[in-house]
Amino acid sequence: MGDGSNLQKGKKKKKTSGSNSKKKKKMTMEQSYATKYVSEWVFLDSSSSSSSSSASVVVDDFGVQLKSSNKVSDKFVFELHSHSICSDGFLSPTAVVERAHRNGVSPFSSSFYVWIGCVVALQCIPEALEAARKFGIKIIPGVEISTIFTSRESGAEEPVHVLAYYGSCGPKGMDELETCLAYIREGRYQRAKNMISKLENLKMPLKWEHVAKIAGIGVAPGRLHVARAMVEAGHVENLKQAFNRYLYDGGPAYSTGNELHAEEAVQMICRTGGVAALAHPWALKNPLAVVRRLKDAGLHGIEVYRSDGKLAAFSDLADTYDLVKLGGSDYHGRGTHDESDLGSVNLPVMTLHAFLKVARPIWCNAFKDILHNFVEDPSDSSLEKLTKFGKVRNLKAGINMNCCNDVIDMCLSSWLTNDERQEVEFEALRLKLSHTDIKQSGIQISVVS
């Protein structure tokens, strides 16, 4: 199993541990700048905290107190693709975060920082944030959207999965995104029922109640849940068999749901302030045609890195179409020996820098729009939307204007870098807010510290 690779890793560690300082000296100017840029964003408040000691306390953008070193790190772990039970994974959002922590993902580890962002279904973000606060792990709010791509030449359809990455303040136009995801979830219920009907015709009966129970309360059943029910009913020996024989794309028990067209999904992600990336392109029949069309629709990135390294063909494709190169474990928690674990994909710091250089302006503009909407409608419900994914929570009763400005200041300082906060537009928005009356039914703000 993994013993041989672990041994190999151990040997590599032994070989290189004595030359860490030499390696750092050999960093190019470009690598040094990229490392500094990523570090400053990971610990947004570190630039404003001054201390003569070798380590100081930093509060991250979710209110977690972290130890920060004055030394800039040259190693990060970004997990940009993982699943919980809210999509088609096996583990709860809390369990996913806890596993990440057990894998050594923590805010401070020996001589370098380690940071992870899990992409989870949006309805699971609050639970994931709560768990992440305990360990100093930060979450990138995001979602993977199943879509359909139709070839203009043949008219043939194939499933295409698009990842959406949002900033700490979450999506702008939340209503549009939630309506879209609700439409897809409704389709998943019908899709699961259609698969059960097809399996019935194949003499493999399943009970809907069984599949729904496996999925869990409030979770729209997917292929994985049907496959688990098949295993538990004794129709197949394992999940792999269920997919390979019956549930694969176009298989005898396969069914489609309420999928968006791939271009529509990319455009919607762009409209709602997200970074759109093509997931696992190696699974596509004609990746070139998909990438070309989705780039025209606004695609920002493409998965290139896996746990077994960088795939040269897709790296070249990314270069051709000027797409950010990304990657993640696509961890589902199946427990099989061949599944990539959380944090197993090594993304170079130059890749992380390229991702953030594209993402930060998009997220910053989304935050501007969210603030503009709050200025137009300064109500308690608007404030709740503003702070939905941030470090201010539990909005209940009794707010005054000073308190509201304090909240806005905390949002600005925790979601934006110093350079971003100094933009004229943000200063103008703050000035507007200082002269704005709150239309309120009365809410109280509880700050996570």
Side-chain angles (χ1 to χ4, degrees):
M1 294 200 339
D3 293 340
S5 61
N6 286 339
L7 187 62
Q8 202 174 7
K9 282 178 189 172
K11 285 179 181 175
K12 281 183 184 174
K13 254 186 180 177
K14 204 171 183 181
K15 215 173 184 180
T16 59
S17 60
S19 57
N20 277 343
S21 57
K22 288 180 184 176
K23 274 191 172 182
K24 287 181 182 178
K25 287 177 185 175
K26 289 181 181 177
M27 282 179 71
T28 65
M29 190 175 292
E30 194 178 12
Q31 286 171 326
S32 297
Y33 174 76
T35 300
K36 185 172 182 290
Y37 184 94
V38 176
S39 296
E40 284 176 348
W41 181 69
V42 169
F43 299 101
L44 281 173
D45 289 346
S46 61
S47 57
S48 62
S49 55
S50 57
S51 172
S52 57
S53 61
S54 60
S56 58
V57 173
V58 174
V59 179
D60 82 343
D61 57 345
F62 295 108
V64 180
Q65 286 196 346
L66 309 172
K67 276 187 176 180
S68 82
S69 167
N70 289 335
K71 294 180 181 179
V72 175
S73 165
D74 64 351
K75 182 172 177 64
F76 300 90
V77 176
F78 275 52
E79 174 55 77
L80 293 178
H81 190 168
S82 62
H83 292 269
S84 74
I85 198 169
C86 295
S87 53
D88 58 352
F90 278 73
L91 304 178
S92 69
T94 298
V96 171
V97 172
E98 287 174 348
R99 183 174 183 86
H101 177 67
R102 284 200 303 274
N103 284 2
V105 177
S106 61
F108 189 76
S109 178
S110 39
S111 61
F112 51 82
Y113 291 113
V114 183
W115 182 84
I116 183 170
C118 299
V119 175
V120 295
L122 282 182
Q123 69 266 33
C124 295
I125 295 290
E127 182 186 336
L129 285 173
E130 192 62 40
R133 284 187 182 99
K134 298 173 187 174
F135 304 116
I137 293 174
K138 295 164 72 171
I139 302 293
I140 296 177
V143 66
E144 181 175 1
I145 302 175
S146 298
T147 72
I148 290 292
F149 178 83
T150 306
S151 169
R152 286 175 182 159
E153 291 74 31
S154 65
E157 294 183 340
E158 71 169 316
V160 169
H161 293 185
V162 183
L163 295 162
Y165 301 101
Y166 293 99
S168 300
C169 57
K172 64 180 181 180
M174 176 68 81
D175 292 344
E176 179 184 2
L177 180 60
E178 287 185 335
T179 299
C180 168
L181 296 180
Y183 171 75
I184 293 169
R185 280 195 296 273
E186 285 170 19
R188 280 170 69 95
Y189 281 103
Q190 190 55 52
R191 177 194 191 203
K193 288 176 180 177
N194 290 342
M195 287 191 284
I196 290 171
S197 178
K198 289 184 176 184
L199 287 167
E200 177 85 34
N201 294 335
L202 293 167
K203 310 300 181 191
M204 289 181 283
L206 293 177
K207 291 184 177 179
W208 168 255
E209 293 76 16
H210 187 197
V211 175
K213 185 179 178 182
I214 290 171
I217 297 171
V219 177
R223 276 190 287 183
L224 178 63
H225 306 116
V226 174
R228 287 176 63 184
M230 290 173 71
V231 173
E232 291 180 17
H235 298 316
V236 290
E237 291 179 13
N238 50 50
L239 295 174
K240 192 172 184 180
Q241 198 177 91
F243 277 90
N244 288 349
R245 292 186 183 179
Y246 305 103
L247 301 177
Y248 61 88
D249 294 342
Y254 177 76
S255 180
T256 57
N258 289 346
E259 284 88 0
L260 299 178
H261 289 290
E263 295 97 324
E264 289 176 351
V266 170
Q267 290 163 356
M268 185 271 296
I269 292 166
C270 293
R271 279 197 307 274
T272 55
V275 176
L278 179 62
H280 34 74
W282 44 86
L284 299 173
K285 295 171 187 171
N286 190 355
L288 179 59
V290 173
V291 167
R292 189 187 300 125
R293 289 252 298 275
L294 295 194
K295 173 65 178 179
D296 289 341
L299 190 73
H300 301 104
I302 179 173
E303 286 196 318
V304 165
Y305 293 92
R306 303 193 305 188
S307 57
D308 56 358
K310 182 170 73 171
L311 300 183
F314 296 103
S315 179
D316 293 342
L317 196 58
D319 289 334
T320 301
Y321 288 93
D322 192 26
L323 295 169
V324 178
K325 301 172 187 179
L326 300 172
S329 66
D330 197 8
Y331 178 77
H332 285 72
R334 296 190 182 100
T336 55
H337 71 278
D338 58 340
E339 182 178 28
S340 298
D341 208 346
L342 288 167
S344 62
V345 176
N346 181 29
L347 294 177
V349 71
M350 297 301 294
T351 295
L352 302 176
H353 176 242
F355 169 59
L356 289 175
K357 287 288 280 184
V358 169
R360 289 300 294 168
I362 293 169
W363 295 341
C364 193
N365 286 331
F367 187 33
K368 283 177 190 173
D369 285 354
I370 291 169
L371 273 182
H372 272 297
N373 289 338
F374 181 66
V375 169
E376 294 301 316
D377 176 27
S379 61
D380 51 2
S381 60
S382 295
L383 186 60
E384 190 168 1
K385 284 180 184 176
L386 175 68
T387 57
K388 186 169 185 176
F389 297 134
K391 74 185 192 183
V392 180
R393 301 176 298 140
N394 303 328
L395 304 176
K396 290 176 187 169
I399 184 172
N400 57 49
M401 191 59 239
N402 290 335
C403 191
C404 179
N405 277 334
D406 289 342
V407 172
I408 300 303
D409 283 340
M410 280 192 290
C411 290
L412 287 168
S413 65
S414 60
W415 293 342
L416 302 173
T417 63
N418 283 333
D419 289 342
E420 289 166 343
R421 289 201 298 276
Q422 287 164 13
E423 284 187 29
V424 174
E425 195 170 352
F426 281 116
E427 286 300 315
L429 280 168
R430 279 212 78 261
L431 189 61
K432 261 188 178 181
L433 282 168
S434 67
H435 298 291
T436 301
D437 292 326
I438 300 296
K439 290 179 279 182
Q440 57 178 325
S441 57
I443 56 178
Q444 180 179 19
I445 296 177
S446 170
V447 181
V448 178
S449 58

